[in-house]
Amino acid sequence: MILVQEEDFEVELLYKRLVKANKTGAVAMFVGLVRQFAEGPNEDSSFELEHYPGMTEHNLQVIVDDANARWSLLDVCVVHRVGRLHVDDQIVFVGVSATHRSEAFLACDFIMDYLKSRAAFWKKETQGIQSRWVEANTKDEKSLERWSK
């Protein structure tokens, strides 16, 4: 399941969707949250995530397909929010179920690494009255190197 949506998501419901009766040995999950990026503790900060409908979902599907080709997975669930988000809001959920924990952990980590660099999302941070578009992070690109070995 791949969803790109403005609405928040319920981790417990997504977890239950990943569990396959009598087959699942492990579920690995990652939930990304909006962290405080403003300087002052009372500074009003938020950010806006934009995407290219159709292209974003396609990019996410390619990432999930690649994970399924590398590991024997039972199910994968990716939910990514778009729109205006504030500190402590949930941004992204990646969940993977597999027969064995090592596959679930590796696939979840792989999907997040590629999602950060290959999914079509654009982020604009707003602090008080100032806004700026966030540039691509070279650290995120560097994280992909370990998967090509």
Side-chain angles (χ1 to χ4, degrees):
M1 175 172 80
I2 295 172
L3 297 172
V4 177
Q5 62 189 38
E6 289 189 21
E7 302 80 26
D8 198 5
F9 51 84
E10 292 188 42
V11 174
E12 183 178 353
L13 293 177
L14 296 171
Y15 166 77
K16 287 179 180 178
R17 186 188 183 287
L18 289 165
V19 176
K20 306 296 179 203
N22 302 317
K23 293 181 182 179
T24 302
V27 174
M29 299 181 299
F30 173 83
V31 178
L33 306 172
V34 178
R35 67 180 175 276
Q36 179 66 264
F37 54 86
E39 294 295 323
N42 295 324
E43 183 84 33
D44 183 31
S45 61
S46 65
F47 72 78
E48 192 166 343
L49 280 170
E50 293 186 4
H51 76 297
Y52 192 116
M55 184 172 114
T56 304
E57 292 84 353
H58 172 77
N59 291 355
L60 292 171
Q61 187 63 60
V62 168
I63 295 166
V64 169
D65 289 348
D66 195 2
N68 275 306
R70 289 170 181 250
W71 298 282
S72 181
L73 306 177
L74 297 173
D75 202 359
V76 176
C77 179
V78 177
V79 180
H80 205 298
R81 294 183 63 198
V82 293
R84 183 164 302 281
L85 299 167
H86 300 278
V87 173
D88 295 331
D89 284 350
Q90 299 180 131
I91 307 168
V92 61
F93 174 91
V94 173
V96 177
S97 62
T99 306
H100 303 285
R101 68 179 158 82
S102 62
E103 293 175 323
F105 277 128
L106 287 168
C108 191
D109 198 18
F110 172 88
I111 291 167
M112 271 310 304
D113 275 352
Y114 273 84
L115 186 150
K116 291 284 289 180
S117 299
R118 298 293 186 259
F121 292 102
W122 295 271
K123 182 167 91 171
K124 180 170 66 171
E125 292 181 345
T126 301
Q127 296 178 15
I129 60 169
Q130 295 183 337
S131 295
R132 72 176 183 90
W133 288 100
V134 178
E135 299 290 325
N137 188 333
T138 56
K139 181 181 158 194
D140 292 335
E141 281 293 324
K142 189 123 179 93
S143 293
L144 301 182
E145 291 176 10
R146 66 187 172 126
W147 301 109
S148 61
K149 296 175 185 175

